[in-house]
Structures are given as structure tokens and as C-alpha cells.
Amino acid sequence: MSAVHEAEPVGGPIVTRGFRAVSLVLAIGVVFMIYRFMAGLGASTGLSDGYPWGIWIAFDVVTGTALACGGYAVAILVYILNKGQYHPLVRPAILTSALGYSLAGLAITIDVGRGWLLYRVPLYANHWNLNSALLEVALCVMSYIAVLWIELSPAFMEHFKKGPDGFLKSASNTLYPIVQNLLPWFIALGLLLPTMHQSSLGTVMLLTGAKLHPLWSTPLLPLLFLISCVGMGYAIVVFESTLASALLKRPKETEMLAGLGGVVGPVLYGYTAIRLVDLAVRGQLGAIFTSGKYSAFFLVEMALFLAPAVLLRDAKKRRDPGHLFRMAMVMILAGGLYRIDSYIVAFRPGDQYSYFPTVPEFMITFGLLALEIMLYVVIIKTFPILGGSGSKAPSAVAER
Amino acid sequence: MSIDRRSLIKCGAAGAGVAIAASTLPALAARPRKEAPADAVGMLYDTTLCIGCKTCVVACREANGKPPDTSNSPGRLYDMPLDLNGTTKNVIKLYKDPDGAERSYMKAQCMHCIDPACVGACMLGALQKRELGIVTYKQEFCSGCRYCQMACPFNIPKFEWSSRAPLMDKCEMCVHRVVKGQQPGCTEVCPRKAIVFGKRADLLAEAKRRIAGSPKKYKGYRKGDAPRVYGETEGGGTQVLYVSHVPFEKLGLPDLGDKPVPEVAQTVQHGIYQGFVAPVALYAVLGAVIMRNKKAEGQKGKAS
Ligand code: SF4
Ligand code: SF4
Ligand code: SF4
């Protein structure tokens, strides 16, 4: 499978002016992280006994991991639907997934009260509460982080194999063929685990019962979370590779991305159709218009899901990279808003409570994003992740 | 190039299949309802008897070694919790109709649900129904994830927000006293017997006897509803029961119906993960497809 890749490190200096700016954001985030651990969650966040989960869960973890589903979405396409021409998208997508999930994991340890006890969750198997959707999410996410880095490890080993003699080189030489042989099984795991936990992220909110507004609370939550994460995964692949070609002056992958755009449309239609049919079955269609602010959020969500589906129907327009990029942004907003709504906006613990994120919450979130961008830049510049420069990406398409 | 029609149809069909399966799940495999354990204990609170003296609030602190909460009191002179919180397992609230004379006290503490949402939430079972059906907390299994707070329909578990190593806090029906044959702190001191402790079955019978004795005095969930015991079936039933002279709705008790809160979530969860068959099967299929695609690719490579 690696033979198809021919990915190359981007090279060039790592510490550019942009990199310094982003590292400043990280530094600010770190200061607030220290503050969060010294002062406690009450002083540093807007959370309360009514709104125990805020943006660190709803955005960093629930939305963040869905955005990190690029690896999942591309892997479905390449390995299951056998669209080999998308192969150059696999490594960058897996890299963002690995980073996105790892940082979501970090966000969880910042969010929970006693993060240093989280190691007990995988280890205390005899205490596992198999009724808990959150347990399933936690175990799956932990395993998936490991699987993603293993899936990516050939890229690192290819680099070290060419490097100076030493431990890394010999270890890479020994491990490389072993990992290559086992890779299909890890890829399969890498498809199974997100299917399980992205849907379970929906199940998690089912347990809040009537506290979640009926426009969102449905037994189909797991299915809706799963479908929308696939859409977001594709969108982020478009987003990233457009940015990569613009900022790093790399060849455009428009042909491939346009193809992807054609797949996403039906997925988005499917999502909205299931949502509306479900409301009809539960007799809640009226609630779409009679629920005040909840109606507004619901309708905005629907518009955000439908707009790209409609606007991507024209195959010619799909080949316009700018159009595609804008549609990807809308899809990301749609999936993101659906998650924030399901976890915060539509959650109704009672009128006496309210929640709005505080400065430390925002700054830590930005800091984690900055860390993700920095790691991404360092890794693509050092290791063979992106499809080789020149005409390699288009020729991969021509091969078929 | 674009995705060919056939694979799209395949995807669509699979999606529709999953959708149908998921929507019929609750009907197919609704999990059995839980009953209170035979030795279940409970408490009965009667609003018609409570005079709002808050003796039970003080007794609760003493019984559980909790300091008074003076943070909201001018000059920090009084124990003045605004609600249940990380150091307060029991409060007496006042309901007063803004446009009328109707008023009532309301005691808030854990309801000790028969099928508790908090227990369904907790990853390592820090919260569990243990002896006598009492929902208790073991801190060594709690990471402070606060999912129990998301899940509890009564907003009962409270978090120590100002601590660097925060724990959850909630009423555990003074289990440390009950196992020694004593009463909970609150029921022991109540001068009006507005809150009493006993076996759940006995308390339920007593509550119904009171309602039957003065059917005019007691109320139901909403204005005009027939009088009833809150907790007999609400949310699958609770071990703490309420009878009231104002509608329960006004006391801030949620309208839960008789369905246990975890029922839908767990039916879906177990429907998908029944015996772990679906994930294993899916893994096998995914592995097989990837292998086949890989082989096909290899052969094509050789042929060309
Ligand atoms: S009232 Fe809340 S905390 Fe108490 S047992 Fe029920 S779900 Fe758990
Ligand atoms: S906060 Fe603690 S008790 Fe509550 S669900 Fe999480 S681990 Fe369980
Ligand atoms: S049973 Fe104990 S912990 Fe619960 S409210 Fe009464 S005194 Fe407090």
C-alpha cells in the first residue's frame, strides 16, 4: 500500500513568522491551563452544577473528534469503496485525525476534575459499567489514538530509514515490514472504532432524557452523529488540502476534491431526511416552529446542512476550488453547530442555570488548536505525509 | 471520475438499513423494568407537615461532617446555601405563588431512583445502588467527568467546583448511620415528622393512606390532577417519596412519566452492542473488504 504513496516531506524552515504567531497563542493557552489547575474549575470556567459540560467537551472533544474524522472518511473511500485514486489524501487525513484525537484526549484531562485518575478507566476492567456510553467513548477514543499513530508510523519510519545510523534507523528497518503487513488490520480497526464512538457520542446525550430538547433528543442520535461526522470528515479533507495547496504552494487536488464533493451531497440529504422523518414519527414536527430560540437554532442547522448539498449538485461548480472550499466551511459549521446544540444549547437543566464560556475556556481551546497546527506543520515539513510535489497527485488519478 | 452509481446505491441501502434497524430497536429490545430491591429503604416527605425550620439541614451537616455554607451570607454569619452544592446534601426551599397565597416548603436531596440515570452514566461505577437500594458514591472510581450531573433528571449530584481535586457530593441516605440501625440525620430530628424514614413499601402505603384520608388536601402533578404519590412510578420510581398540598410541578419536580430515564439510551446502546456481535462482525467484514481490495490491486499491478 505504501508503494502508491510516494509522499514527501515538504521541507523548508519550520519556524516562520506564522509559526511564531501561533506559538504565542499556545503560550497564552498554557498560562490559562496552569491557572485552571491552580484555581479549580469553578473559578476558571463558566461551568456550574446545571451545565457541567461546556466548550471543552462540546467543542474540543465532541466537535474536535468529528472534525478529526477526515481519516475515517477517506479510509472508507479508499479502502472500502476502493477508490484508490484518493490515496494521496490518506496520510494527511490520518495525520490530522491523529492530532485531533490526541488533543481531544488532552482536553478531556483538562476538563475532568481529577484527570490523573483517568488511567483507571482502561485498567479497572472489572469495574467497567457497560451501560455507560461515555465509557465506550473513552475506551474507543483511547484505542483509536493508538491505532491512528500506528497507521501513520510508516511515514515516520520511512524518514528514519533514510536518516543517520542509530537506534531509530535499525528499529525502523525491523518494524517497517511488520507494520506494513499488519496495516490492513489496523486500518479495519481504524474504521470500526470511529463508527463505534462517533455514534456513541450521540448516545451519551440520550441519557439526559427530557433535559435535552425534543428537537434533538431522539433514539436516532447515534445514527445522526455518525452520518454528520462522515460529512464533516470529508469537509475537513477539502479544507485542509485547499489550505495546504494555497499556503504551501502545492499542486491543487481539485479533481479529487470535486469527486468527494459529489459523495457528500447525498450524505447531507440523507441526514436531513432522517432528521425530519424522525421528528414526524415522534410527532414533533410542530416543535420546529414553536420552540422559540430552539426553533431558530434548529432551522439554522437545517439550512447549513442543506445549502452545501444543493450547491454541490452542479458537477461543474464542484470543480471550482473556491466554491468547494466555501461549501466545506459550511459543512463544518453545520456539523459543529449540531454538536454544540446537542451538548449545550438544547440542554435545559432549568432556568436557574446559565452557561457562557469564560476567557480561560476560550484561551485553552485556542491554545490546543494552536498546538495542533504547530505539530501539523512540524510533521509535514519533516516526514513524508503529503503527496509528492510536481505532477504526482494528478498522475495517480490518471492511473485508473 | 466520480463515485459510480452502484457504490452510491450500496451506501444508501446500508444507511437506510441502519436507520430502520435503529428506529425499531427500542420496540424490539426494550430492556426489562427494574423493581426496588425487597429491602429497599426510603424517605417520605409531606409538604403539609413541613414548617420550614431547616433543622434537617443542620442535622444533615452534622451527620455527614459537612461545614456550614456561609458563602452567600452577608458577613458570613449564617448557613445559607442557595441550593444543593458541593457541601450541601439537603436543602429546604420555599415555593410561593407570585400572584396568590399558595406556598409550600420543598425538601431537596437525592431521590434514590430505582433505575438511576446517574448510575447508568458513571464509567467505573463510582455511583451505584448498593445496600438497601441506596445510591452511594465511591470516590476512588470517580474521575470527576460530571456525566452523572448531565444525566440526573433531578440535578442532584453536585461537584466541588472550588477544589483542586474535586469530588462529587450527594445524599447517600446516611447509609453509614442506617447500617448501624440508626436513622438518617434529617429524619431523626424533624420536629413535625414531615420527613420520615422507613422501608419503601411501608412508606408508600403510609403515603396512600394519608391521601385517602384527606383527598382534598393533597394534589397531583398539575393543578386539577388526582392526588398521587410522587416517586411511586415517576422515572421508573424513586425510593424517596413526596406527597404535597401544591401541585408537584410547582415544587420543581420534573414530569418524568413512568419511564426510567436510562431506558431509551440503554436500549439503543445494548441493541447496537448486544453480545458485542455487531462490532465483531463489522470488524470482520471491514477486514475482509480491505484484504480483497488490496489483493485485487496487487493482481491488477501484475497484469499491467
Ligand atoms: S436523584 Fe439523581 S443522583 Fe439521585 S439516584 Fe436519581 S439519578 Fe441518581
Ligand atoms: S463525575 Fe464521578 S461519579 Fe459522576 S459520572 Fe463521572 S466518574 Fe461517575
Ligand atoms: S438522608 Fe442523610 S444525607 Fe440525605 S438529606 Fe437526610 S441527613 Fe442529609
Side-chain angles (χ1 to χ4, degrees):
Chain A
M1 291 197 167
S2 70
V4 199
H5 249 296
E6 299 179 61
E8 292 172 355
V10 173
I14 285 171
V15 186
T16 58
R17 210 180 316 141
F19 195 85
R20 278 205 202 95
V22 176
S23 65
L24 186 66
V25 178
L26 172 63
I28 297 171
V30 169
V31 170
F32 279 104
M33 275 178 222
I34 296 170
Y35 174 63
R36 173 256 173 267
F37 281 103
M38 299 309 287
L41 284 162
S44 53
T45 69
L47 301 172
S48 62
D49 287 318
Y51 285 95
W53 288 354
I55 54 166
W56 291 340
I57 294 296
F59 180 77
D60 295 36
V61 178
V62 180
T63 310
T65 60
L67 288 174
C69 274
Y72 175 53
V74 174
I76 294 180
L77 200 69
V78 172
Y79 298 114
I80 299 301
L81 300 177
N82 208 14
K83 302 289 166 198
Q85 69 270 35
Y86 296 121
H87 220 125
L89 294 180
V90 171
R91 271 192 190 173
I94 300 278
L95 172 62
T96 7
S97 297
L99 289 172
Y101 269 88
S102 303
L103 291 174
L106 185 57
I108 294 172
T109 57
I110 295 171
D111 179 88
V112 302
R114 299 191 295 163
W116 55 92
L117 296 184
L118 280 174
Y119 75 91
R120 293 182 179 171
V121 174
L123 289 187
Y124 285 24
N126 51 334
H127 290 279
W128 282 350
N129 171 14
L130 297 179
N131 287 329
S132 171
L134 193 66
L135 174 76
E136 200 231 299
V137 170
L139 294 176
C140 272
V141 166
M142 289 180 190
S143 338
Y144 190 45
I145 292 174
V147 166
L148 282 165
W149 288 109
I150 292 173
E151 275 188 62
L152 204 60
S153 65
F156 299 113
M157 293 192 275
E158 279 164 24
H159 173 79
F160 293 126
K161 280 204 307 190
K162 290 194 201 127
D165 286 344
F167 171 72
L168 281 174
K169 182 167 185 162
S170 54
S172 299
N173 277 325
T174 337
L175 283 177
Y176 191 74
I178 304 177
V179 173
Q180 284 292 346
N181 275 328
L182 291 177
L183 213 49
W185 297 106
F186 281 113
I187 293 170
L189 256 188
L191 287 171
L192 176 70
L193 293 171
T195 311
M196 288 169 67
H197 66 250
Q198 284 299 331
S199 56
S200 290
L201 281 172
T203 319
V204 162
M205 286 308 286
L206 257 187
L207 190 59
T208 64
K211 288 205 272 183
L212 186 62
H213 191 277
L215 285 174
W216 284 268
S217 184
T218 154
L220 294 186
L221 266 173
L223 181 68
L224 292 168
F225 265 67
L226 186 63
I227 302 177
S228 57
C229 97
V230 175
M232 287 168 84
Y234 280 126
I236 205 78
V237 171
V238 173
F239 179 79
E240 242 171 59
S241 76
T242 315
L243 272 191
S245 47
L247 295 178
L248 302 166
K249 309 201 174 44
R250 304 183 51 79
K252 285 207 174 74
E253 297 168 303
T254 311
E255 205 39 46
M256 252 186 279
L257 300 179
L260 288 184
V263 190
V264 174
V267 172
L268 298 177
Y269 278 127
Y271 169 89
T272 30
I274 293 176
R275 229 165 142 198
L276 292 173
V277 170
D278 166 66
L279 284 176
V281 170
R282 289 186 296 118
Q284 295 287 354
L285 276 179
I288 295 177
F289 303 102
T290 57
S291 311
K293 89 168 190 207
Y294 301 106
S295 294
F297 276 98
F298 179 86
L299 291 170
V300 172
E301 265 180 37
M302 283 288 125
L304 288 174
F305 273 104
L306 279 176
V310 173
L311 294 172
L312 280 174
R313 278 173 57 176
D314 183 345
K316 234 201 317 256
K317 272 218 194 119
R318 285 210 294 272
R319 291 203 162 63
D320 170 1
H323 180 70
L324 206 56
F325 183 77
R326 284 189 292 277
M327 289 306 110
M329 295 288 290
V330 176
M331 276 183 250
I332 290 170
L333 282 179
L337 183 63
Y338 176 53
R339 280 163 175 73
I340 305 268
D341 282 353
S342 302
Y343 271 74
I344 297 178
V345 177
F347 182 68
R348 306 167 302 167
D351 294 339
Q352 70 271 42
Y353 301 106
S354 65
Y355 168 73
F356 195 81
T358 56
V359 171
E361 283 179 272
F362 278 122
M363 288 305 158
I364 290 175
T365 294
F366 294 152
L368 290 175
L369 283 174
L371 179 58
E372 184 168 353
I373 294 171
M374 289 163 71
L375 289 171
Y376 182 81
V377 169
V378 171
I379 293 176
I380 59 163
K381 289 197 171 172
T382 319
F383 300 98
I385 303 287
L386 298 191
S389 53
S391 59
K392 266 170 199 154
S395 79
V397 178
E399 259 167 38
R400 282 224 119 201
Chain B
M1 85 107 270
S2 75
I3 294 302
D4 58 280
R5 199 163 287 271
R6 235 191 48 235
S7 54
L8 258 192
I9 293 172
K10 260 196 288 182
C11 276
V18 175
I20 292 166
S23 57
T24 50
L25 274 174
L28 285 178
R31 72 203 241 291
R33 289 276 161 97
K34 293 190 176 144
E35 301 272 336
D39 59 355
V41 290
M43 299 194 285
L44 169 62
Y45 177 66
D46 187 333
T47 61
T48 65
L49 298 174
C50 180
I51 51 167
C53 69
K54 301 184 186 172
T55 312
C56 60
V57 179
V58 178
C60 177
R61 292 205 185 284
E62 274 169 13
N64 294 286
K66 289 278 176 184
D69 173 8
T70 56
S71 56
N72 296 296
S73 144
R76 299 196 156 242
L77 287 174
Y78 305 100
D79 180 16
M80 219 172 104
L82 294 186
D83 199 343
L84 298 177
N85 60 41
T87 53
T88 310
K89 297 165 189 275
N90 172 35
V91 285
I92 296 293
K93 303 183 189 179
L94 170 69
Y95 159 71
K96 191 177 170 307
D97 183 350
D99 332 295
E102 195 178 59
R103 54 184 276 157
S104 171
Y105 293 103
M106 161 69 185
K107 183 177 186 295
Q109 76 295 302
C110 175
M111 303 291 285
H112 298 278
C113 305
I114 290 172
D115 192 350
C118 61
V119 170
C122 189
M123 292 193 281
L124 292 181
L127 287 168
Q128 249 169 46
K129 273 183 105 61
R130 297 191 174 91
E131 53 274 77
L132 309 171
I134 299 174
V135 178
T136 53
Y137 172 71
K138 293 211 165 143
Q139 64 169 72
E140 62 268 37
F141 302 117
C142 170
S143 55
C145 73
R146 311 188 290 281
Y147 190 22
C148 50
Q149 296 192 293
M150 294 294 289
C152 171
F154 301 97
N155 290 330
I156 295 302
K158 299 296 173 193
F159 191 62
E160 296 177 342
W161 290 100
S162 46
S163 165
R164 280 186 205 168
L167 303 175
M168 298 305 310
D169 194 29
K170 75 171 204 54
C171 155
E172 299 175 276
M173 228 193 277
C174 287
V175 67
H176 58 291
R177 295 168 57 96
V178 170
V179 291
K180 283 190 285 187
Q182 289 170 296
Q183 287 202 32
C186 58
T187 61
E188 188 180 65
V189 299
C190 181
R192 299 267 298 161
K193 299 274 163 274
I195 180 89
V196 289
F197 173 80
K199 289 210 150 165
R200 180 180 188 267
D202 299 344
L203 294 175
L204 185 57
E206 165 67 12
K208 288 185 168 167
R209 200 186 54 73
R210 289 187 199 175
I211 290 176
S214 11
K216 287 255 162 51
K217 190 159 77 176
Y218 291 102
K219 297 284 163 24
Y221 189 76
R222 286 186 188 79
K223 206 167 168 242
D225 289 0
R228 57 172 287 111
V229 185
Y230 190 97
E232 181 180 7
T233 59
E234 276 74 5
T238 56
Q239 288 178 215
V240 175
L241 305 168
Y242 286 73
V243 287
S244 169
H245 65 288
V246 303
F248 297 121
E249 175 182 46
K250 302 273 167 74
L251 300 179
L253 288 165
D255 181 13
L256 294 178
D258 61 0
K259 205 197 266 182
V261 172
E263 187 168 279
V264 181
Q266 287 178 17
T267 302
V268 170
Q269 176 87 350
H270 290 293
I272 302 175
Y273 292 104
Q274 196 62 237
F276 225 65
V277 173
V280 172
L282 182 59
Y283 184 59
V285 171
L286 289 171
V289 172
I290 292 170
M291 280 307 207
R292 198 205 62 190
N293 286 347
K294 193 186 173 189
K295 237 182 246 150
E297 210 165 84
Q299 272 164 10
K300 217 168 51 192
K302 260 177 236 152
S304 62

